[in-house]
Amino acid sequence: MGVPELRPWRAAGPHVVRLADAVRPRLARVAGTVRPYLARVAAAVGPRFARPDRPGSPQVARGARSKTRRFTATAATAGLALAAGVATAAGPWDSTGQRTAERDRAAALEATRGADHGGVPAHAGTPPRGPRAAPPAAAVLTGLGGTATAAQSVPGGTALTGVLDPLLKVPALGRHSAAVVDVASGKRLYGTGSGDALVPASTTKIATAVAALSALGPEHRLTTRAVFEPDTGEVVLVGGGDPTLTARKGTGGLASLHDLAERTAAALSGQGVREVTLSYDTTLYQGTTTHPIGVNANLAAVTPLMADEARTDASVSGPAPRVADPAADAARKFAALLADRGIKASPPGPSKATTRARTLATVSSPPLAALVERMLTESDNDLAEALARHTALASGRRADFAGAGAALTARLKKLGLPVGGAVFKDGSGLDRGDRLSADLLTALLVKAGDPAHPELRPVLTGLPVAGFTGTLAGRYADGAAGTVRAKTGTLTGVNSLAGTVVDRDGRLLAFAFLANGTTAPAAAQSALDKAATALAACGCR
């Protein structure tokens, strides 16, 4: 994800001032305590270090050496005391166990994150401006399967109803549904219309993530190839459905078009080939490349070959202008990179690699686990549509919108999840024809936390962290920062939130809130955030 860096000196100025103010009294107290003792030691040891009567190397008496050792130890102790004072005053950890650097960094973020689905003025992903830092997270969050999740009794349904009903029954939420489930037991603790299938917006990506990981496994990688046709002397760039393939110099661990060109050029040069006809192959996917919402800044045309998600600017997430034909654009960039390496290529055109083609070079994406985390954290629509199609391919279905939707449903049903009423028109949640229930969303999260399905764990680790990462970086500044992890969903008239929270007693809860027909997006978002915050603060037994 793209994070704007702080200008070191501008950012450091106020911290240095606060650091000096904090350290000064502590240093004074430490120095006041140590000074008399140091003086007494110096007075006792000083005579032992007097210059000897005769020239040459000084002969220090055994007693003096003992005193010297005590003096060194005392000085070291004093140094440690001073260091402890400084660390206590200005160390990297605050009293709750949170890194102060992380807290300050989160408060300083100023870039809009995630998708902008409808121009919502609520600034769903815009961090708060100004010097105020996000409140510290809880000192310890028990891991999945930890004893704290089983040590306390689960919240009571009646108590939860008393807490959540007033927060969710507000006009801003229109028609809504909600569910809260205890992750350790799978027991539903709260529900209102929880079986109703509503428009889920980007919380659809939770379902896409579970289905893709189930079908492909967390170690699966998406591979882009350059192949050579021996009969025609043609080089074909074969799209492998990796939207994160990058033509930029800084790869950040992504598959690099530079690397692919370097290896391809080396292979061709080794065969004495200096000029080729270049083509590109996008036959991995079928059907239209245009999403039902049409041309939109939230995603590129859905094609198995693109570089940097076809963005025309330097962004790495969120809405951005896109090239009209991502595959042709990637092929042109590849041709230019080959030329830089001494291989002249023709202007590229579409083609299909034959079974006789020899592989010249390949580059592969990060593992699927990392791609899922990126998709969820940044609400990456291009990745979501790619993973839905790969799920279709792994399921023996046609890699188009309809085939992907059918594959998602089938995979979730195979996992025993409640798919009744669920409709998948796409993998990203941009299509208003999508339908999911709060029961299904919470069941997906519980399944991801099931020890019997470790392959699904990236679904939980990829959820944005309230107040810190992704589409939640700018939310919960005065609420449950650090304790709520959730996927957001926003379309015009639609607000949703689904994720996990550790309550006051250490129970890990899964929740899903869906609202359709919202007329005041800022108020709707605030209501959902308050409900999640209430769960974090609730023992509710």
Side-chain angles (χ1 to χ4, degrees):
M1 64 179 180
V3 179
E5 296 182 0
L6 297 176
R7 291 183 171 83
W9 294 112
R10 183 182 304 172
H15 295 292
V16 172
V17 172
R18 290 197 298 271
L19 174 62
D21 291 340
V23 171
R24 188 180 297 109
R26 299 187 187 214
L27 287 178
R29 288 196 297 272
V30 172
T33 301
V34 174
R35 186 184 298 112
Y37 185 65
L38 290 177
R40 289 196 298 273
V41 171
V45 175
R48 304 284 186 178
F49 289 87
R51 183 179 299 275
D53 292 335
R54 63 181 186 271
S57 300
Q59 303 297 313
V60 182
R62 181 176 301 171
R65 284 195 290 268
S66 176
K67 288 289 187 177
T68 300
R69 294 190 188 100
R70 285 199 296 271
F71 179 84
T72 303
T74 302
T77 301
L80 288 174
L82 291 170
V86 173
T88 301
W93 304 93
D94 67 16
S95 60
T96 67
Q98 182 190 349
R99 285 182 61 86
T100 54
E102 180 181 51
R103 181 195 62 200
D104 291 339
R105 172 177 172 271
L109 291 174
E110 293 182 355
T112 301
R113 298 190 178 280
D116 178 12
H117 304 157
V120 179
H123 304 295
T126 305
R129 297 179 183 274
R132 183 178 61 180
V140 176
L141 298 181
T142 303
L144 293 173
T147 56
T149 58
Q152 302 290 343
S153 61
V154 299
T158 302
L160 277 177
T161 298
V163 170
L164 292 178
D165 272 1
L167 298 175
L168 295 174
K169 290 181 178 178
V170 294
L173 290 182
R175 181 189 178 193
H176 68 274
S177 66
V180 178
V181 175
D182 176 53
V183 172
S185 66
K187 178 182 177 182
R188 178 152 61 83
L189 309 176
Y190 173 84
T192 176
S194 60
D196 297 343
L198 301 182
V199 182
S202 277
T203 54
T204 300
K205 293 182 177 74
I206 296 174
T208 301
V210 168
L213 287 166
S214 173
L216 300 163
E219 297 302 318
H220 183 78
R221 296 172 187 260
L222 312 180
T223 299
T224 305
R225 299 182 296 140
V227 302
F228 185 74
E229 293 285 359
D231 296 339
T232 63
E234 177 186 13
V235 171
V236 184
L237 181 61
V238 183
D242 178 11
T244 67
L245 175 69
T246 181
R248 297 167 182 169
K249 290 186 177 180
T251 67
L254 303 175
S256 169
L257 205 59
H258 286 262
D259 290 346
L260 187 62
E262 184 74 34
R263 297 170 193 172
T264 300
L268 290 171
S269 297
Q271 300 174 36
V273 177
R274 293 292 179 180
E275 185 171 349
V276 297
T277 298
L278 180 63
S279 302
Y280 57 91
D281 183 345
T282 60
T283 59
L284 184 67
Y285 297 170
Q286 293 83 46
T288 179
T289 63
T290 304
H291 191 281
I293 66 172
V295 177
N296 191 283
N298 284 298
L299 82 168
V302 184
T303 173
L305 178 61
M306 63 176 70
D308 301 302
E309 297 183 334
R311 297 170 182 271
T312 62
D313 58 17
S315 65
V316 295
S317 64
R322 316 294 179 111
V323 298
D325 189 340
D329 174 70
R332 285 191 293 268
K333 290 176 178 175
F334 185 65
L337 292 171
L338 287 177
D340 291 341
R341 291 157 176 80
I343 304 296
K344 182 179 179 181
S346 67
S351 184
K352 177 177 172 56
T354 70
T355 56
R356 299 185 302 277
R358 298 197 312 266
T359 298
L360 296 170
T362 65
V363 290
S364 295
S365 72
L368 184 61
L371 298 181
V372 162
E373 288 182 332
R374 169 173 166 158
M375 175 185 70
L376 293 172
T377 300
E378 300 299 346
S379 200
D380 192 315
N381 298 304
D382 299 286
L383 258 175
E385 298 302 344
L387 297 188
R389 274 165 172 69
H390 280 280
T391 302
L393 291 167
S395 304
R397 297 179 183 268
R398 183 176 164 89
D400 58 12
F401 282 105
L408 295 179
T409 303
R411 282 286 166 180
L412 301 186
K413 186 176 182 178
K414 186 176 181 180
L415 287 169
L417 296 165
V419 295
V423 177
F424 294 99
K425 295 291 187 181
D426 65 4
S428 62
L430 288 173
D431 195 312
R432 290 177 176 276
D434 293 331
R435 294 291 186 273
L436 294 181
S437 68
D439 279 342
L440 176 55
L441 284 167
T442 50
L444 287 162
L445 294 164
V446 170
K447 185 67 70 174
D450 186 345
H453 290 279
E455 75 280 3
L456 302 181
R457 192 57 55 82
V459 175
L460 299 183
T461 57
L463 293 172
V465 180
F468 288 94
T469 63
T471 55
L472 286 186
R475 293 165 65 166
Y476 296 88
D478 297 312
T483 62
V484 170
R485 302 181 68 109
K487 181 71 198 76
T488 58
T490 308
L491 294 169
T492 301
V494 178
N495 290 82
S496 58
L497 189 69
T500 63
V501 62
V502 178
D503 75 1
R504 190 179 61 192
D505 290 332
R507 297 293 299 196
L508 182 65
L509 307 178
F511 66 89
F513 306 136
L514 300 172
N516 288 185
T518 59
T519 56
Q525 176 181 292
S526 177
L528 298 184
D529 288 352
K530 287 178 181 177
T533 298
L535 281 177
C538 187
C540 299
R541 294 197 302 275

